[in-house]
Amino acid sequence: MKMRTVSVLGATGSIGDSALDVIARHPDRFRVAALTAHRQWQKLAELCIRHRPEVAALTDPAAARELERALSGKRLPTRVLAGDEGQAEAASLAATDTVVAAIVGAAGLRSTLAAALAGKRILLANKEALVIGGAVFMAAAAKGGATLLPIDSEHNAIFQCLPARYAGDPTASGIRRILLTASGGPFRKRPIAELPSVSVDEACAHPNWVMGRKISVDSATMMNKGLEMIEAHWLFGVPRESIEIVIHPESVIHSLVEYVDGSVLAQLGHPDMRTPIAQALAFPERIDAGVPALELVRRGALTFEAPDHERFPSLDLAHRALGAGGTAPAVLNAANEVAVAAFLDRRIRFTDIAPTCAESLERVAARAATTLEDALAADAEARSVARSWLKLAA
Ligand code: NAD
Ligand code: MG
């Protein structure tokens, strides 16, 4: 296999950690070209010393100056960049062929889009980019000649269960349904009456996965599965009617594809993000991910149940937003980001998150989303509506 050069956007996060762990296991296959983050300059400095990238970028300019000082005299080949432009440059470097898009939230849209336009092989974790600007993003990837390899575990599982060279037409490939599995998060069995008083720490304590705080809260509300339904729609060209959500508390089956002949293909594994990341990094080859073998007998039973729509209103909101189309998913995502951040700051209750999203979908009219500007305008309007509904300062 030829040596691949990799830019990791969001290198200091949970996905960044897992990606750099897999990369470091295969120095003969991968070289790090760029590492980026928001403002954690100390951690990025350590990563630069370990991986010696050509470029390191922090969005926050003051943190970028600190990084520059921390790296001076270390004899590294690393140029330090700042701002959104720095992120976009790291995503489209001529020296890079593979981009791990692992920034959390709408903040990752521009750099992920830059990688698409530059024709990179994109390992997509930043699902929010697809939720906000699905049409724009898919068009940019086609125009730039980019290859999209999903590393969200469910989408990576689906990708592995689709026919080789799947061209985005489920009917032509004999696909009846996509079954997206969900753990149900930490509150699957919590009495609904207690949900208004759950704490941030409880919401972030996922039963099976260790992840960043935003996606952990999204898993607790199940908005994560709603966003993933929209993500699956764009990645695989499946209509929402053909996507079913199944609660599978053990998180061993990562998703399934059902064919018209009755065959159902699934991908299984330990809940460890290094598996989907390694699959996509090496595709179409296979490499060691550092993940232990799945001992089925020791795991015992795998169980399934239907999602509880009263407990998890976010699922219906996402279904509705995808049905409305245009800018509606961008509005949903923006309102959710505002509400989740406010919950993490302990300014609102857990059960205020879904109503904020519902209210924003009501108040912001859905429009066509054919350009990046359409999507960004809807994002900005929804953030302001969500903030005023929650009575948060702008
Ligand atoms: P995290 O909070 O652990 O890390 C987020 C990263 O994004 C950090 O490196 C941070 O510095 C960077 N970042 C945030 N704002 C930025 C900005 N304005 N500019 C540049 N960088 C910025 O999050 P995570 O759990 O690693 O999730 C990252 C993405 O991957 C999310 O979209 C999430 O939905 C998706 N994802 C994560 C997991 C998981 O297991 N953690 C699984 C599937 C999908
Ligand atoms: Mg997922």
Side-chain angles (χ1 to χ4, degrees), residues 9-18 36-40 57-60 83-84 87 101-108 111 124-129 151-154 209-216 218 224 227-228 231 273:
L9 315 179
T12 57
S14 163
I15 292 287
D17 281 342
S18 295
T36 86
H38 187 201
R39 55 165 83 97
Q40 269 192 296
L58 286 168
T59 303
D60 183 88
D84 288 335
Q87 301 288 329
I103 293 175
V104 59
S111 51
L124 187 73
N126 181 209
K127 65 191 87 184
E128 295 92 344
I151 56 175
D152 203 348
S153 57
E154 297 77 4
W209 300 91
V210 181
M211 310 181 285
R213 283 155 63 83
K214 192 260 177 183
I215 186 177
S216 296
D218 285 347
N224 184 49
L227 300 178
E228 288 182 354
E231 181 185 13
M273 290 306 293

Side-chain angles (χ1 to χ4, degrees), residues 181-267:
T181 54
S183 70
F187 302 139
R188 183 171 62 91
K189 289 199 169 297
R190 188 82 169 227
I192 290 182
E194 288 178 16
L195 292 180
S197 57
V198 296
S199 71
V200 167
D201 287 345
E202 288 174 300
C204 288
H206 196 278
N208 305 330
W209 300 91
V210 181
M211 310 181 285
R213 283 155 63 83
K214 192 260 177 183
I215 186 177
S216 296
V217 176
D218 285 347
S219 300
T221 59
M222 282 196 76
M223 181 60 87
N224 184 49
K225 214 47 56 178
L227 300 178
E228 288 182 354
M229 178 179 63
I230 300 172
E231 181 185 13
H233 164 76
W234 287 112
L235 284 173
F236 307 120
V238 273
R240 65 179 180 154
E241 298 73 29
S242 307
I243 305 174
E244 179 151 333
I245 291 164
V246 180
I247 304 274
H248 166 47
E250 296 84 13
S251 298
V252 167
I253 297 183
H254 298 306
S255 279
L256 314 90
V257 177
E258 181 185 302
Y259 289 86
V260 288
D261 61 4
S263 298
V264 181
L265 303 193
Q267 185 260 356

Side-chain angles (χ1 to χ4, degrees), residues 275-292:
T275 295
I277 290 168
Q279 190 275 341
L281 272 173
F283 181 77
E285 294 178 33
R286 296 276 179 172
I287 56 173
D288 173 37
V291 178

